[in-house]
Amino acid sequence: MLLKLKWWDFPPEELLRFLPELCSDDIPAVREAVRRMLASREA
């Protein structure tokens, strides 16, 4: 999922907003955040 998201290509301001979710130790929450980001990029 992270490879598909290509978070490393995010603009700096978007990455800063996403980092707390990306670095969380709550894996289900990270998965959900990634799913939301993927869905928003595909829409």
Side-chain angles (χ1 to χ4, degrees):
M1 287 174 70
L2 289 172
L3 291 175
K4 187 175 180 181
L5 185 61
K6 297 183 183 180
W7 60 269
W8 53 86
D9 287 337
F10 284 14
E13 54 280 345
E14 189 175 355
L15 183 56
L16 282 175
R17 285 192 305 270
F18 187 58
L19 272 178
E21 293 175 303
L22 184 63
C23 296
S24 172
D25 60 353
D26 182 351
I27 301 304
V30 173
R31 285 186 180 136
E32 182 56 33
V34 171
R35 270 192 208 102
R36 283 193 317 269
M37 292 296 290
L38 284 169
S40 73
R41 290 181 172 273
E42 292 174 353

